[in-house]
Amino acid sequence: MKEPETGEAPATAAVLVIGDEILSGRTQDTNTRYIATYLAQIGVDLREARVVPDVEEEIVAAVNALRARYTYLFTTGGIGPTHDDITADSVGRAFGVEVIEDPRAMAMLRERFAEEELNPARRRMARIPRGAELVCNAISKAPGFWIGNVIVMAGVPVIMQSMMDTVGPQLRSGARVEVETVEAGSIPEGSYAMRLEEIAAAHPGVSVGSYPNFSGQGVRNQIVLRSRDVASLASAKAAVRALLAELAGA
Amino acid sequence: MKEPETGEAPATAAVLVIGDEILSGRTQDTNTRYIATYLAQIGVDLREARVVPDVEEEIVAAVNALRARYTYLFTTGGIGPTHDDITADSVGRAFGVEVIEDPRAMAMLRERFAEEELNPARRRMARIPRGAELVCNAISKAPGFWIGNVIVMAGVPVIMQSMMDTVGPQLRSGARVEVETVEAGSIPEGSYAMRLEEIAAAHPGVSVGSYPNFSGQGVRNQIVLRSRDVASLASAKAAVRALLAELAGA
């Protein structure tokens, strides 16, 4: 998709989901879609997502690959109190910085826990790479953090969402990608595909996708148009509607 | 997790989801979890998942990175008739082989389409890298394919599932990872984390995870134990139950 020629290139992002429970099939990841939707609304382009297991080398390698390529990297998972929560240590290693018990994070934990409850496991949640900013959350108090261009968040969806609310306003936002969906109904993809490609070629600033949906009523297709250029988007939408009207009448 | 010392190492796998519609947040990916669950049942370890956009260079790079690392790579999406369906060409390029209109694939399409319906867009669905085996599906007829260790499937979940049924019996299966879930209820993670780590350390063949779940009733925790070694799994489970009983009684 060609970008409009005004201003700075849009910020880009990747999501890294850390967790054996996703790869085992036990849990359906919904964080990626939530972050994708959130970023789309503020004009940040999500370009890639990965899921890796709770293995330090895998996390370090993915963090370093993704933070080098995109404006932001958002991670979810692995910041709780148990031994399988190794995200802070892994991100520290990726950046080559020490991971310390952060006094600011300890202060947050003290809002929730009495001193005698702050055993080594819970104190683990205050382990933060040196130099990181904390990302507070209203729900569990245990913070995420932001180091370089990497934003480390919880895996529990409601806590991750609370953290997104904290970091969202600090992200470099841009012109939002506007979306138009045109229902093609039961008109088969194969009968509009060639002319849809022509419409896409004539509107280089618009991303044009066709998505079949197999429901109980048979296949229903949708054509989805996405662009930061509102005029070009409207022109492409009109062309798609005219094409479908012609095919429906044929 | 230490593997049991009998026989061959388990087969490994990655999933590559190809599709702008996932990264835009428009569509919730469910294919990864389906494949994860399917593979777990036949003893293949899913080690990584990625989502990339409908961009050839991105697909080629991900295919080559993942097929080099794992026993199998499963891709979903991008094999329909529209211009944004570029998976076959991308995989062909990743393998350095020509992509041809495959006569076997054309024969499958002829089961569904009359000759006059087989326009260039629909014939696109018969474009297959030379040397690949076809993966038939009962629903749409348009095949996926299998080349080297890469299995290319549709993005529409019911079609992908039909393709998994075709390829599943041909995969190198192994001893299944058995799973035990122990409900910790409202006992806080922070109060069992240290002793859970001791249990994990005492059972090196067992993967031990703790997962909080924030529902309307507050936090409920689950401890999930996974192993191919049934005796070790049972021992770890007994230890976890004893620990939780002690804490509940405390």
Side-chain angles (χ1 to χ4, degrees):
Chain A
M1 192 170 73
K2 202 184 70 176
E3 305 298 345
E5 284 163 15
T6 53
E8 210 175 7
T12 59
V15 168
L16 178 62
V17 175
I18 297 161
D20 290 349
E21 74 275 26
I22 306 295
L23 292 173
S24 72
R26 180 179 173 273
T27 301
Q28 169 69 54
D29 166 57
T30 57
N31 287 338
T32 300
R33 188 187 190 189
Y34 183 91
I35 297 168
T37 304
Y38 191 107
L39 294 178
Q41 283 165 355
I42 61 170
V44 175
D45 290 347
L46 180 62
R47 295 275 176 88
E48 184 170 351
R50 295 193 192 180
V51 189
V52 295
D54 300 325
V55 174
E56 186 165 305
E57 301 75 50
E58 300 291 331
I59 301 169
V60 170
V63 165
N64 280 334
L66 296 171
R67 75 185 175 100
R69 282 201 74 185
Y70 304 104
T71 314
Y72 299 113
L73 168 62
F74 298 85
T75 79
T76 69
I79 62 169
T82 55
H83 64 283
D84 52 331
D85 291 307
I86 59 172
T87 299
D89 284 287
S90 303
V91 172
R93 206 179 114 198
F95 278 84
V97 304
E98 196 188 1
V99 178
I100 57 163
E101 184 175 284
D102 188 298
R104 301 164 302 170
M106 283 301 294
M108 290 177 184
L109 292 180
R110 286 195 174 94
E111 292 174 32
R112 181 170 157 208
F113 297 107
E115 202 59 36
E116 65 272 19
E117 292 178 310
L118 282 172
N119 60 26
R122 292 198 173 103
R123 296 177 85 112
R124 203 177 153 77
M125 294 190 283
R127 285 177 57 75
I128 306 286
R130 197 184 281 284
E133 288 304 312
L134 301 191
V135 176
C136 65
N137 89 85
I139 294 166
S140 73
K141 301 298 180 189
F145 58 89
W146 182 335
I147 181 168
N149 61 341
V150 179
I151 295 142
V152 172
M153 304 190 291
V156 174
V158 291
I159 300 179
M160 182 280 293
Q161 292 163 20
S162 167
M163 291 178 175
M164 269 313 279
D165 287 339
T166 304
V167 299
Q170 302 172 64
L171 300 173
R172 198 185 96 206
S173 59
R176 198 166 81 174
V177 174
E178 301 295 336
V179 183
E180 293 281 4
T181 301
V182 183
E183 300 291 339
S186 57
I187 301 175
E189 281 192 300
S191 57
Y192 62 68
M194 289 181 290
R195 288 180 58 193
L196 190 67
E197 183 169 10
E198 290 167 14
I199 294 172
H203 297 84
V206 183
S207 141
V208 180
S210 174
Y211 302 106
N213 183 20
F214 283 63
S215 69
Q217 283 74 51
V219 188
R220 312 294 291 180
N221 294 312
Q222 289 185 320
I223 296 167
V224 178
L225 309 166
R226 306 178 75 246
S227 184
R228 288 190 159 87
D229 177 341
V230 176
S232 198
L233 185 65
S235 163
K237 184 183 180 186
V240 169
R241 294 181 81 145
L243 166 61
L244 294 177
E246 183 190 322
L247 292 173
Chain B
M1 192 170 74
K2 202 183 74 175
E3 305 299 344
E5 285 163 16
T6 53
E8 211 174 4
T12 60
V15 168
L16 177 63
V17 175
I18 297 162
D20 290 348
E21 75 274 26
I22 306 297
L23 293 172
S24 72
R26 181 178 173 273
T27 302
Q28 168 68 53
D29 166 56
T30 57
N31 287 336
T32 300
R33 188 187 191 190
Y34 183 90
I35 297 168
T37 305
Y38 191 106
L39 294 178
Q41 283 166 353
I42 61 169
V44 175
D45 289 348
L46 181 62
R47 294 276 175 88
E48 183 170 351
R50 294 193 191 180
V51 188
V52 294
D54 301 325
V55 174
E56 185 165 307
E57 301 73 53
E58 299 292 329
I59 301 169
V60 170
V63 165
N64 280 334
L66 295 171
R67 74 184 174 102
R69 282 201 75 184
Y70 304 104
T71 314
Y72 299 112
L73 168 61
F74 298 85
T75 79
T76 70
I79 62 168
T82 56
H83 64 283
D84 53 331
D85 291 307
I86 59 171
T87 300
D89 284 287
S90 304
V91 172
R93 207 179 114 199
F95 278 85
V97 304
E98 195 187 0
V99 178
I100 57 164
E101 183 176 284
D102 189 298
R104 302 164 302 172
M106 282 301 294
M108 288 177 183
L109 293 180
R110 288 196 172 94
E111 292 174 32
R112 182 170 156 209
F113 297 107
E115 202 59 36
E116 64 273 17
E117 291 178 310
L118 281 172
N119 60 26
R122 291 198 174 102
R123 295 177 85 113
R124 204 177 153 78
M125 294 190 283
R127 284 178 58 76
I128 305 287
R130 198 184 280 283
E133 288 303 312
L134 301 190
V135 176
C136 64
N137 88 83
I139 294 166
S140 73
K141 300 299 181 187
F145 58 89
W146 182 335
I147 181 168
N149 61 341
V150 179
I151 294 143
V152 172
M153 303 189 291
V156 175
V158 290
I159 299 179
M160 182 280 292
Q161 291 164 20
S162 166
M163 290 176 174
M164 269 314 278
D165 286 337
T166 303
V167 298
Q170 302 172 63
L171 300 172
R172 198 186 96 207
S173 60
R176 200 166 80 175
V177 174
E178 301 294 337
V179 183
E180 293 281 3
T181 301
V182 183
E183 300 291 338
S186 58
I187 301 174
E189 280 193 300
S191 57
Y192 62 68
M194 288 182 290
R195 288 180 59 193
L196 190 66
E197 183 170 11
E198 291 168 14
I199 294 172
H203 297 83
V206 182
S207 143
V208 180
S210 173
Y211 302 106
N213 183 22
F214 283 62
S215 68
Q217 282 74 51
V219 188
R220 312 294 291 180
N221 294 312
Q222 289 186 320
I223 295 167
V224 177
L225 309 166
R226 307 176 75 247
S227 184
R228 288 192 160 86
D229 178 340
V230 177
S232 198
L233 185 65
S235 163
K237 183 183 181 185
V240 169
R241 296 181 81 144
L243 166 61
L244 294 176
E246 183 190 322
L247 291 173

